[in-house]
Amino acid sequence: MDILSSGIPLLDDALGGGLLKDSNLLITYDTYSNGWMLAFEILRNRIEEGDFGVIINSVMPYTPLKMELNLINFDLEREGKAGNLAIVDVFSSLYHVSYSLDFVYVDTSMDTSTFLPKYTALYRKLLEEKIRGRRPIGIDFTIDGLAFLFGEEAFVKMFQNLIALKEKARVTESRKRPVNIFLMNKGRSSEALISWIALYSQYVIEFCSSAESPREKMLIRKSPLPDFRPKEGGYRFRIDHGRVVIE
């Protein structure tokens, strides 16, 4: 099996060895959780290994996203200008916000009825201009944001189409296969939506925050690896001095 390291040894062990190439990881979290930051910690580590970040942003403008990531010292603009990541900015496309930054991809002619072909065209453009021979590490920020824009039932059908496109690419293309990380806030998602996205995810990690402590509970719900052994009680997760800490 071709397995990639998350760059966090304890997380790799918890998953049974790491992340399979071409796999999907679903991270669910609640309203006050910082668990979604784990995706960007993994991205930081994979960039250091030569991979390329692709952020599908559907929930906020570029500027507040950049500010949010200051918590883990992830400099979105520096990494973008260095050629290490790009943003397919669905939010700004739909609300007609453009940027002079060449790593923020926007199509202001996009609307909910033309999303799939225009998103695919943006991704193909990004593939040719930026990714080239590098492995994409995709972060969907967020799945619930896309479901809100399109309606859950319509979104699930569209998501199935994207899964089918990924399978076709797996069969017909020889480029390095990606790892996709889906972020989902449980407070904005129905049980049905969570169930659908978990179905298409080989890995599922759940975060639960607490009003009493900055430490959150992290549970590994699903992994396809034979060495995966669910840990009773899960793990503790926190952010300390700009880095993710798992105990």
Side-chain angles (χ1 to χ4, degrees):
M1 289 183 290
D2 290 330
I3 299 177
L4 301 171
S5 172
S6 67
I8 307 170
L10 184 56
L11 179 61
D12 287 343
D13 289 344
L15 295 172
L19 296 166
L20 285 170
K21 295 177 183 178
D22 222 3
S23 62
N24 298 326
L25 163 62
L26 170 62
I27 297 177
T28 68
Y29 51 96
D30 56 36
T31 299
Y32 299 108
S33 170
N34 287 318
W36 63 275
M37 295 279 184
L38 177 63
F40 289 90
E41 185 75 11
I42 294 171
L43 176 57
R44 185 203 328 256
N45 296 333
R46 291 309 311 168
I47 285 174
E48 291 176 358
E49 296 298 319
D51 293 344
F52 186 90
V54 180
I55 301 166
I56 315 301
N57 173 35
S58 62
V59 290
M60 65 174 63
Y62 164 77
T63 303
L65 174 59
K66 182 176 70 170
M67 288 190 288
E68 290 275 356
L69 291 173
N70 287 337
L71 181 62
I72 59 168
N73 289 327
F74 189 102
D75 192 326
L76 197 60
E77 189 156 330
R78 181 186 65 202
E79 296 294 353
K81 289 181 175 179
N84 293 326
L85 63 77
I87 302 168
V88 179
D89 201 331
V90 178
F91 183 94
S92 296
S93 295
L94 294 176
Y95 292 102
H96 305 104
V97 182
S98 297
Y99 300 93
S100 59
L101 301 165
D102 71 350
F103 61 90
V104 181
Y105 285 70
V106 173
D107 181 351
T108 55
S109 68
M110 181 187 293
D111 57 35
T112 54
S113 65
T114 62
F115 169 78
L116 194 56
K118 292 191 174 181
Y119 163 78
T120 303
L122 278 180
Y123 189 84
R124 284 294 169 187
K125 183 181 179 183
L126 169 58
L127 191 64
E128 294 170 4
E129 293 180 348
K130 298 284 187 182
I131 302 175
R132 299 190 179 95
R134 300 168 74 179
R135 183 189 321 282
I137 305 297
I139 298 178
D140 281 80
F141 184 76
T142 62
I143 291 293
D144 51 274
L146 286 169
F148 174 77
L149 290 172
F150 297 98
E152 283 195 4
E153 186 174 341
F155 170 72
V156 169
K157 292 178 181 178
M158 184 179 68
F159 190 81
Q160 288 177 329
N161 198 328
L162 290 170
I163 292 295
L165 288 174
K166 180 176 180 176
E167 182 69 5
K168 290 176 184 176
R170 181 183 291 124
V171 172
T172 60
E173 299 178 4
S174 59
R175 60 185 173 89
K176 288 184 177 179
R177 303 309 304 156
V179 171
N180 293 101
I181 305 175
F182 307 138
L183 298 178
M184 182 181 292
N185 187 310
K186 293 178 290 185
R188 300 190 293 261
S189 308
S190 72
E191 287 295 327
L193 179 62
I194 295 172
S195 179
W196 274 113
I197 306 305
L199 172 66
Y200 297 116
S201 302
Q202 288 72 49
Y203 301 87
V204 177
I205 300 177
E206 179 181 11
F207 287 93
C208 304
S209 64
S210 167
E212 287 75 37
S213 171
R215 289 181 172 84
E216 302 182 36
K217 179 181 287 188
M218 184 186 84
L219 299 168
I220 313 292
R221 295 293 191 186
K222 182 180 177 183
S223 169
L225 299 178
D227 290 335
F228 170 58
R229 298 290 183 272
K231 179 177 174 60
E232 188 73 28
Y235 300 81
R236 289 179 298 177
F237 170 91
R238 60 188 170 89
I239 295 173
D240 185 30
H241 291 91
R243 296 304 293 250
V244 159
V245 178
I246 298 173
E247 302 167 324

